[in-house]
Amino acid sequence: MKLLDKLKINHKPRSGGLDLLKYIGPGLLVTVGFIDPGNWATNLAAGSEFGYALLWVVTFSSIMLIIIQHNVAHLGIVTGLCLSEATNKYMPRMLSRPILGSAMLASISTSLAEILGGAIALRMLFSIPIKIGAVIVTIACLIMLLSNTYSKIERWIIMFVSIIGLSFLYELALVDVNWGQAVTGWVKPSFPPNSMLIIMSVLGAVVMPHNLFLHSEVIQSREWNLEDESVIKKQLKYEFYDTLLSMVIGWAINSAMIILAAATFFKEKITVDELDQAQQLLVPLVGNNAGVIFAAALLLAGVSSTITSGIAGASIFAGFYGEAYNHKDLHSKLGVILSFVPALLIIFLIGDPFKGLILSQMLLSVQLPITVFTQVYLTSSKKVMGQYVNSRSTTILLVLLGTMVTVLNIALLISLF
């Protein structure tokens, strides 16, 4: 009897599906950057002006993002270092300092756009002026970041992304969607007249510098590299599932934005290029509830993307000192503050939200090539990655994607001026 009891105690059956759930989370933090207020604006413009025709851009951009984010996550799993730490450790100081310095500026630029998105949502919901709304969003995100661990923040983000997704499901249930055209739009590339600017905008808003730092940071916090080779290989597999699931969720939410705009604004021949305008027009077309839910989802998107931008800023700043992000560490705290406070000051100095968004896109467009090609250099180095170094074909693919994203961002920057 004692032997049977002992066997029962030692027998702990494991479920692969349940085991996978432990690794879901890092990708969803990255997904937030894929559905931030900037993406809302470009998706609504795409749907209102071209209907379902540009849904393929979301499909293509999602595939592109899966490849790039999967690669940077490998860096964190294999080395136990985030992108900023690896840059500090493996690149000459004369290169690493300017790279991380420019990345910190990109983090400020990202926070500027995300805080503005949250402030615009507060104006929609409560008629709060943009500057006061920006202060509220900044303070709320600072409190969350400086008082919560990774695991708690991940749970918050998962909840926010879930609510945003459910909000759009509700919105789509209220409108008459032509699903046949939607399916065609997802898989069939088309280039309607005068659509290139919107196409570049949708694609250009996908890969953001801070998300590359963020993904590697969250992944390395698990310290899977300290385990044996079999465990590392297992984590590499599970990480891909996490990234794939998260990007599919991002694809679905971005698609829902375009479909909503196509089924309402495009149908009524109304072109939308501002978030406030979209919310105001939804009310007479779909009902007051739709307008409120739209604004509430935007607020969650603004807050959650500001939080992830703050983590990225903290990770980058801590990387200067060869440290990982830790919400209790001084360097990480300073990184969050340095990401948020200058962004808030710029909002006060510029005043015009549209000019603020242009400024943020300009800085991101300039910095993105630096981050992408730094990542490719590190993951293609045998010294850094050992046996998990990129294959030649993977390196070529990453260079091509990096070049494509860079050209799109520069083209978007030129178009803004």
Side-chain angles (χ1 to χ4, degrees):
M1 187 68 181
K2 289 183 179 178
L3 179 60
L4 287 173
D5 290 339
K6 190 173 182 179
L7 287 172
K8 287 179 181 178
I9 291 172
N10 291 330
H11 179 62
K12 297 178 179 179
R14 296 177 66 84
S15 166
L18 292 176
D19 201 30
L20 174 60
L21 291 177
K22 295 191 302 183
Y23 305 98
I24 301 299
L28 286 173
L29 267 70
V30 177
T31 298
V32 169
F34 191 22
I35 57 173
D36 74 337
N39 288 86
W40 283 54
T42 55
N43 289 330
L44 291 171
S48 66
E49 192 167 349
F50 301 104
Y52 304 94
L54 300 186
L55 278 169
W56 69 270
V57 184
V58 177
T59 301
F60 178 72
S61 62
S62 300
I63 294 171
M64 183 168 60
L65 195 61
I66 288 169
I67 296 170
I68 295 176
Q69 294 292 164
H70 177 55
N71 179 252
V72 80
H74 269 199
L75 176 71
I77 292 173
V78 172
T79 66
L81 302 172
C82 64
L83 183 55
S84 56
E85 289 177 281
T87 301
N88 183 65
K89 181 176 180 178
Y90 291 107
M91 300 191 75
R93 191 180 181 89
M94 62 181 295
L95 288 177
S96 65
R97 287 296 184 259
I99 289 171
L100 294 178
S102 66
M104 197 67 218
L105 290 175
S107 175
I108 294 170
S109 176
T110 304
S111 296
L112 168 64
E114 319 302 30
I115 292 170
L116 271 175
I120 290 171
L122 286 175
R123 184 170 67 181
M124 291 178 183
L125 289 168
F126 308 109
S127 300
I128 297 175
I130 288 290
K131 292 180 180 179
I132 296 176
V135 172
I136 293 172
V137 171
T138 302
I139 292 175
C141 293
L142 275 172
I143 292 172
M144 289 189 70
L145 277 172
L146 299 180
S147 61
N148 286 284
T149 61
Y150 259 144
S151 58
K152 289 183 180 179
I153 289 174
E154 277 187 14
R155 288 195 290 269
W156 278 105
I157 296 298
I158 290 172
M159 182 181 70
F160 287 167
V161 171
S162 300
I163 294 173
I164 293 169
L166 291 172
S167 297
F168 276 100
L169 282 177
Y170 172 79
E171 303 262 356
L172 291 180
L174 298 177
V175 298
D176 183 20
V177 178
N178 187 324
W179 291 107
Q181 290 185 22
V183 171
T184 302
W186 272 318
V187 298
K188 181 182 177 182
S190 63
F191 300 86
N194 304 315
S195 65
M196 282 308 298
L197 175 59
I198 298 297
I199 291 173
M200 289 189 301
S201 298
V202 175
L203 283 171
V206 170
V207 182
M208 303 174 74
H210 81 291
N211 263 351
L212 299 175
F213 286 94
L214 175 69
H215 203 170
S216 63
E217 171 61 54
V218 182
I219 284 287
Q220 70 84 29
S221 70
R222 268 67 171 173
E223 298 185 332
W224 287 324
N225 67 300
L226 301 180
E227 308 287 345
D228 59 38
E229 292 299 321
S230 63
V231 173
I232 290 177
K233 289 178 180 178
K234 180 181 178 182
Q235 311 319 324
L236 291 173
K237 179 181 71 172
Y238 280 140
E239 175 279 321
F240 176 73
Y241 295 148
D242 174 49
T243 299
L244 182 63
L245 172 64
S246 301
M247 295 306 104
V248 167
I249 291 172
W251 167 84
I253 293 176
N254 278 282
S255 295
M257 294 180 196
I258 293 180
I259 291 171
L260 177 66
T264 53
F265 307 131
F266 180 74
K267 188 176 181 180
E268 298 292 330
K269 296 181 172 53
I270 301 171
T271 300
V272 175
D273 54 13
E274 289 189 22
L275 294 174
D276 296 65
Q277 181 189 10
Q279 190 254 359
Q280 291 164 8
L281 290 171
L282 273 177
V283 174
L285 291 175
V286 187
N288 189 59
N289 287 342
V292 172
I293 289 174
F294 178 90
L298 176 61
L299 177 60
L300 292 178
V303 170
S304 54
S305 58
T306 302
I307 290 171
T308 56
S309 176
I311 295 175
S315 172
I316 295 164
F317 190 74
F320 274 101
Y321 303 92
E323 299 171 356
Y325 169 78
N326 184 330
H327 76 286
K328 294 183 178 179
D329 183 75
L330 177 61
H331 292 140
S332 293
K333 290 179 179 178
L334 286 174
V336 173
I337 293 170
L338 287 173
S339 180
F340 286 173
V341 174
L344 184 61
L345 290 175
I346 293 171
I347 292 173
F348 269 80
L349 290 174
I350 293 180
D352 182 352
F354 183 70
K355 287 184 179 179
L357 288 172
I358 289 179
L359 176 63
S360 71
Q361 290 302 305
M362 178 185 72
L363 290 174
L364 290 176
S365 299
V366 171
Q367 205 284 329
L368 181 65
I370 301 172
T371 295
V372 170
F373 290 112
T374 297
Q375 168 193 324
V376 175
Y377 168 79
L378 291 170
T379 57
S380 301
S381 168
K382 194 170 182 63
K383 178 183 176 182
V384 178
M385 300 293 288
Q387 64 175 305
Y388 300 102
V389 66
N390 293 337
S391 64
R392 179 173 295 181
S393 59
T394 299
T395 299
I396 293 172
L397 176 61
L398 287 168
V399 169
L400 288 174
L401 288 177
T403 302
M404 182 187 303
V405 173
T406 300
V407 170
L408 287 167
N409 272 266
I410 292 174
L412 175 59
L413 171 64
I414 293 172
S415 70
L416 290 173
F417 293 94

